[in-house]
Amino acid sequence: ALGGSGYAVTTEPFPLEGVIPGEDVDAKAGTTDPNVEYVVFRWLAPDGTVISRDPEDVVDVEDEWDPTYGMNVLVARSTYAPEIVGDWGVQVFFYGEGGHLRGEAIIRIRATSFFVIPEVPIGALTVLLTMLAGLAIFARKRF
C-alpha cells in the first residue's frame, strides 16, 4: 500500500484470522512522507465506539528499514487488547508540523479491520465434543 499513496496501516501478524478477547493486536502505520511527525491511532469497537486512550495512541514516527520496499519508511506502532466480540477497526491519522493532517486535496487517513472471536471456556476439546454430539444426534434421527 505504501507504493501507491505513501501511507498505510496494517495489523500484525497479517492477516488476523481471529482474535480471542483480551489478546493483543498490534497496529503498524507507515509512510514514505518525510514531513509526518506523529500518528494518531483510533481503535474502533464493533458498535462504532472510539476507544480513546490519549496520550497512549499518539505515537511519534521512527525511521525503519522496510525490506519489502527496499527503503526506509517512517513507522509508528500501537497495541490494544479488545475485550468485545465483533468486527474491530483501526483508523490512523498522519500529522505533520504544527499538528496539521498531511496531504493536500486528500486527508491521509487509512484503516484496517479484524474480527474478535469468542473464547470457548473449556477449550478446543469442548468444541470438538459438541460437534460430535451434534453429528450423533443427527445420525440417530436420520436412521
Side-chain angles (χ1 to χ4, degrees), residues 75-122:
V75 174
R77 289 182 170 80
S78 178
T79 301
Y80 182 68
E83 297 289 337
I84 302 169
V85 173
D87 283 314
W88 280 78
V90 180
Q91 194 173 39
V92 177
F93 298 83
F94 297 88
Y95 286 92
E97 186 178 341
H100 298 288
L101 278 171
R102 291 299 302 148
E104 294 175 12
I106 300 172
I107 295 175
R108 299 302 182 191
I109 302 170
R110 294 290 179 260
T112 188
S113 62
F114 57 94
F115 193 79
V116 176
I117 58 173
E119 182 180 8
V120 177
I122 300 174

Side-chain angles (χ1 to χ4, degrees), residues 37-60:
E37 293 183 357
Y38 65 95
V39 172
V40 175
F41 290 87
R42 289 178 60 196
W43 294 87
L44 307 171
D47 64 359
T49 305
V50 175
I51 308 298
S52 178
R53 303 182 315 150
D54 254 355
E56 190 176 346
D57 282 331
V58 178
V59 183
D60 291 333

Side-chain angles (χ1 to χ4, degrees), residues 20 118-130:
I20 295 173
E119 182 180 8
V120 177
I122 300 174
L125 183 60
T126 302
V127 173
L128 181 62
L129 291 175
T130 303

